[in-house]
Amino acid sequence: MLRMSSLFLRTLRDDPSDAEVASHRLLVRAGYVRRIAAGIYSWLPLGYITLRNIERVIREEMDRAGFQEVHFPALLPKEPYEQTNRWNEYGPELFRLQDRKGGEYLLGPTHEEMFTLMVKGEYSSYKDLPLSLYQIQTKYRDETRPRSGIIRGREFVMKDSYSFDLDDAGLEASYQKHREAYIKTFARLGLKYNIVSAMAGAMGGSKSEEFLAPCDTGEDTYVLCEKCGYAANVEAMVTIVPPGNPDGVPVLEVLNTPNTPTIDSLVAVLNENYGGGYTGADTLKNVMLVADTKAIAVLVPGDREVDLKRLQANLSGVQELRIFEEADFAQYPGLIKGYIGPQDAAQSGIRVLADPRIAPGTSWVTGANQRDRHARFVVNGRDFTPDEYVECAEVRAGDLCPTCSEPIVMDRAIEIAHIFQLGRKYAQALNLSVLDQNGKSQIVTMGSYGIGVSRAVAAIAEQTHDAIGLSWPVEIAPAKVHIVATGKEDNPFNVAEELANNLEKSGITVLLDDRRDASPGVKFKDAELIGIPVIVVVGKALEFGNVEVRVRRSGEKSEVSVADASTFISNVLIANS
RNA sequence: CGGGGCGUAGCGUAGUGGCUAGCGCGCCUGCUUUGGGAGCAGGAGACCGGGAGUUCGAAUCUCCCCGCCCCGACCA
């Protein structure tokens, strides 16, 4: 039993000045966490209990699925990470340090190497597979900008699992098993989420999905089709390719379009001088970028911007992308800013990437590569040919769903889990192989499955808080019942004490506010701020032999007799789980 | 790393060259109070982020450094 009289807790009346998002603000005010440095937090008793409750739920579901828990150090030697080249690839985000002898170490940002080597050390036969191992460990990433309190820290707790299989079918099965275990886990954690298709990203691998918990303060934007349920990270959103019909399109015509360096100014001139009905969507924007020192041209419809994140996510092997600057234009005198078209790209040797909307056979108005000139009836496949199609135009609410063609909506969310099929990248690099039925050596294929554990505390706080405080789901609340004793007589305190004991005996955890010196107002405010799901007030109603039972989330209040209180409360808890 | 904001007691803050750095919350003592962040009285707590400088005099002005927050870039 937790007692307010002795609990290591000081709630704050004012919002801390360095906290912006609700989860951060409330977790600090309610005395769950304290900031130590940017993106680094300490957990106080209430917060630590909550964090461990989340760990417990995750652990139970992982174990139930047959995965086995192991534990690795956070402090790791660099050698395995050199073998996979991540000592270099991970860049400045990796916390690196030296021991007294000058040996180089890192604080693990993720543990693929360790898991792979652990399995390699023990197993060497296909008969040992499939295998899934997991750990719950503190991870370290020197984020360029930690933000939003607990949501993006430099030190955080993560559950990561890895599956090991002989072949693709096995990997798919392990992947589905994890996916199902995650669905059960998040249901128990009381999180609302969407499973969206995602990019495998720099980790390599193929299939990848994210579990995104919708909330305004989330960092990820995703699209959702309310009709068919299609959901995708904006980076992974697939565009419907429009039909192209080049038949009957007149030959390319160069137009005189003075002072039209922008799409808006171009559309105005087109409508004035060259027939009406033109919109930005009829024009083709030729955006010049530099991809790792090489100039590239990117084609998108004139009414859309290039989404650099999407482009980068869909371009393999490009580390750095930036837009053209004056100095870059100076190196390509053939490129006239505001009047660029893809027609001459082949001879200039610049690689041309096109958004799928710029489909073969479609006809566009675009730059004529001469100052104050544009060209119309520019047909893809006839007048220019992109080197490659890549998803790169910005995604908008109302764009059409790739599976059912209904308009999609967009929302923000916190990424609470990411699962993907890693494939053989790490097994290959570290030579994890087993003998198959024919005695032949086979590289193992792996899956990787992470849950942000400390982040889940914040995500749940974000989704469940209200104007007056936190409001935890029953399963993870630091206690299930918060009993407030009021008044100056001994009686309410004795009754509260007895009720608390009864509940604890039946396995219901209690936070008892047994402070004799705090006013009722203070106790109520604290209870609401702390956010335990059921608040029981032992005070005035005792006159009639009753206590008051309040449901934190709904605000619903009932009076029940002291004798019936335990039973009533456990029913309320069940009803609210 | 670019842009913006900020650093004064545990928390929130006032104080733009001049007495002993002010207030609220919290904390301690006493009395009163006990159903919505109580009242009165007394008290403790601040190398004003750090360093250097300007000045008779610096929380306040100048320079450098450090740290924190927000937007962007970045981010299994």
Side-chain angles (χ1 to χ4, degrees):
Chain A
M1 190 196 306
L2 301 168
R3 289 169 185 278
M4 285 297 269
S5 60
S6 56
L7 182 64
F8 183 60
L9 170 73
R10 192 105 303 158
T11 57
L12 305 177
R13 194 180 294 218
D14 300 310
D15 284 337
S17 64
D18 62 355
E20 196 102 339
V21 301
S23 59
H24 187 198
R25 225 178 55 232
L26 293 170
L27 288 168
V28 171
R29 269 194 64 202
Y32 282 63
V33 301
R34 291 287 182 259
R35 193 183 62 75
I36 295 301
I40 302 178
Y41 289 83
S42 299
W43 297 82
L44 279 58
L46 284 182
Y48 196 45
I49 293 168
T50 308
L51 179 69
R52 288 206 318 267
N53 283 343
I54 291 175
E55 286 184 7
R56 192 197 72 243
V57 168
I58 294 171
R59 200 169 261 129
E60 284 171 9
E61 292 303 328
M62 294 298 108
D63 292 346
R64 195 207 304 255
F67 312 148
Q68 299 170 66
E69 184 169 11
V70 296
H71 194 75
F72 290 101
L75 179 62
L76 301 166
K78 76 168 172 180
E79 284 74 15
Y81 287 77
E82 278 186 321
Q83 278 188 63
T84 56
N85 199 33
R86 290 165 100 200
W87 180 256
N88 297 320
E89 260 176 20
Y90 225 98
E93 200 169 316
L94 200 58
F95 274 109
R96 298 156 207 264
L97 61 163
Q98 292 191 343
D99 68 7
R100 62 174 76 203
K101 289 181 282 194
E104 296 193 273
Y105 291 80
L106 62 115
L107 295 176
T110 167
H111 283 76
E112 281 82 359
E113 284 81 353
M114 295 298 112
F115 276 93
T116 308
L117 289 171
M118 181 180 269
V119 173
K120 183 182 174 180
E122 312 298 324
Y123 277 6
S124 49
S125 161
Y126 77 96
K127 293 178 190 166
D128 297 322
L129 305 182
L131 169 71
S132 286
L133 300 175
Y134 75 95
Q135 73 163 345
I136 296 175
Q137 166 67 294
T138 305
K139 310 272 176 173
Y140 297 85
R141 292 181 198 172
D142 193 358
E143 296 281 351
T144 44
R145 181 152 94 84
R147 69 177 89 184
S148 310
I150 306 295
I151 296 174
R152 175 173 293 279
R154 294 190 293 173
E155 174 180 304
F156 55 97
V157 179
M158 174 178 257
K159 190 288 303 182
D160 51 335
S161 311
Y162 299 87
S163 66
F164 301 86
D165 283 279
L166 188 63
D167 53 30
D168 293 350
L171 171 56
E172 177 63 26
S174 294
Y175 181 92
Q176 290 305 333
K177 241 175 126 178
H178 274 90
R179 197 176 188 274
E180 278 153 32
Y182 277 26
I183 290 169
K184 288 182 188 149
T185 304
F186 289 124
R188 286 181 63 187
L189 293 181
L191 267 169
K192 289 194 285 281
Y193 64 92
N194 286 299
I195 302 178
V196 314
S197 40
M199 305 301 298
M203 299 303 301
S206 48
K207 185 171 178 180
S208 166
E209 289 171 297
E210 290 169 339
F211 288 64
L212 297 184
C215 84
D216 297 340
T217 49
E219 301 178 281
D220 287 41
T221 308
Y222 71 104
V223 304
L224 181 67
C225 174
E226 287 168 325
K227 185 167 178 223
C228 76
Y230 171 84
N233 194 303
V234 276
E235 292 163 15
M237 164 79 176
V238 177
T239 304
I240 296 179
V241 178
N245 183 13
D247 300 339
V249 179
V251 294
L252 184 151
E253 178 189 3
V254 174
L255 308 176
N256 200 21
T257 55
N259 298 316
T260 55
T262 64
I263 296 294
D264 286 346
S265 54
L266 171 62
V267 169
V269 168
L270 287 172
N271 285 331
E272 197 167 320
N273 300 341
Y274 299 102
Y278 284 100
T279 70
D282 300 314
T283 67
L284 174 65
K285 187 151 59 180
N286 200 311
V287 179
M288 297 305 303
L289 300 170
V290 178
D292 294 339
T293 73
K294 275 206 302 272
I296 58 171
V298 174
L299 309 182
V300 293
D303 61 336
R304 286 178 195 260
E305 298 301 320
V306 173
D307 181 334
L308 289 178
K309 275 187 177 179
R310 289 193 82 208
L311 176 59
Q312 180 133 29
N314 288 289
L315 266 185
S316 51
V318 172
Q319 298 292 321
E320 196 199 344
L321 263 185
R322 62 175 177 84
I323 53 176
F324 245 50
E325 290 162 8
E326 290 304 329
D328 301 306
F329 278 107
Q331 293 194 8
Y332 292 90
L335 298 176
I336 298 152
K337 202 175 168 184
Y339 302 94
I340 303 171
Q343 303 88 304
D344 305 331
Q347 62 213 54
S348 66
I350 293 173
R351 197 156 73 104
V352 177
L353 309 177
D355 188 78
R357 287 178 182 79
I358 317 300
T362 50
S363 171
W364 303 88
V365 178
T366 190
N369 297 311
Q370 298 169 50
R371 183 158 307 282
D372 296 336
R373 299 272 196 287
H374 281 84
R376 65 173 163 182
F377 311 127
V378 182
V379 175
N380 181 356
R382 183 185 77 184
D383 303 309
F384 70 98
T385 307
D387 296 299
E388 196 182 331
Y389 290 92
V390 51
E391 295 280 1
C392 62
E394 65 175 307
V395 173
R396 292 182 191 153
D399 286 350
L400 299 185
C401 169
T403 63
C404 74
S405 297
E406 286 294 307
I408 51 106
V409 297
M410 290 177 79
D411 201 2
R412 294 180 70 81
I414 300 174
E415 179 186 345
I416 46 172
H418 196 166
I419 57 177
F420 52 98
Q421 301 189 359
L422 265 186
R424 297 186 167 79
K425 174 176 172 176
Y426 292 92
Q428 190 98 54
L430 298 166
N431 195 26
L432 169 61
S433 58
V434 293
L435 295 179
D436 67 12
Q437 282 129 308
N438 305 315
K440 264 182 64 182
S441 183
Q442 300 281 359
I443 298 288
V444 166
T445 185
M446 294 168 57
S448 162
Y449 318 91
I451 295 178
V453 180
S454 44
R455 176 180 283 185
V457 178
I460 294 166
E462 288 289 341
Q463 283 192 348
T464 59
H465 78 277
D466 59 20
I468 55 176
L470 298 163
S471 178
W472 300 109
V474 169
E475 180 109 48
I476 64 150
K480 309 237 182 292
V481 181
H482 187 141
I483 301 179
V484 175
T486 65
K488 54 184 171 184
E489 309 301 327
D490 288 341
N491 188 239
F493 288 85
N494 294 337
V495 171
E497 185 86 31
E498 198 178 329
L499 177 58
N501 283 324
N502 283 340
L503 290 169
E504 288 268 340
K505 257 181 238 154
S506 57
I508 295 170
T509 52
V510 174
L511 169 57
L512 174 64
D513 197 340
D514 55 348
R515 291 176 293 180
R516 301 298 285 246
D517 53 355
S519 71
V522 168
K523 293 179 180 181
F524 295 150
K525 292 285 186 204
D526 275 347
E528 284 147 2
L529 179 60
I530 289 167
I532 286 169
V534 173
I535 298 167
V536 179
V537 182
V538 183
K540 284 241 162 114
L542 269 187
E543 203 179 320
F544 313 101
N546 291 340
V547 297
E548 186 181 321
V549 178
R550 303 178 182 177
V551 178
R552 170 67 181 85
R553 180 94 30 112
S554 63
E556 188 188 338
K557 297 180 186 181
S558 359
E559 281 199 11
V560 290
S561 70
V562 174
D564 297 338
S566 289
T567 317
F568 184 83
I569 290 163
S570 55
N571 288 336
V572 168
L573 283 169
I574 291 164
N576 284 278
S577 300

